Amino acid sequence: MTTPRADRGRNPDRSPLNWLLLLPIAIPLIPPLFNSDEPRLFGIPMFYWLQLAFIILGVTSTTLVYRATRRSR
């Protein structure tokens, strides 16, 4: 029977960079950011193009955290 190894260093799943994953969740929950019709971007109200910006924020933060915390092969 084998025993589990002692914790050697920091667990990569507990990286402080994982806190960046809260940005795409928390920022869209702030109504004053998108509670407006102006400014318009190519005639599109702010609410709609800001939703696209939130998606880009989510993809970017997820990619950054993944690349920074993945294990080297």
Side-chain angles (χ1 to χ4, degrees):
M1 185 161 117
T2 62
T3 58
R5 286 187 258 169
D7 187 23
R8 293 185 196 164
R10 188 174 197 112
N11 185 353
D13 292 341
R14 298 198 182 215
S15 171
L17 290 173
N18 288 340
W19 287 102
L20 285 176
L21 296 174
L22 287 177
L23 285 177
I25 296 170
I27 290 185
L29 295 176
I30 304 171
L33 286 178
F34 55 86
N35 191 15
S36 166
D37 187 39
E38 298 291 328
R40 290 178 172 258
L41 184 66
F42 304 114
I44 301 171
M46 182 173 147
F47 175 80
Y48 295 109
W49 61 262
L50 198 56
Q51 298 302 312
L52 181 60
F54 292 152
I55 292 169
I56 293 168
L57 173 67
V59 169
T60 303
S61 63
T62 303
T63 302
L64 286 173
V65 171
Y66 170 74
R67 288 184 181 217
T69 59
R70 70 179 170 184
R71 295 182 180 145
S72 59
R73 299 187 194 271

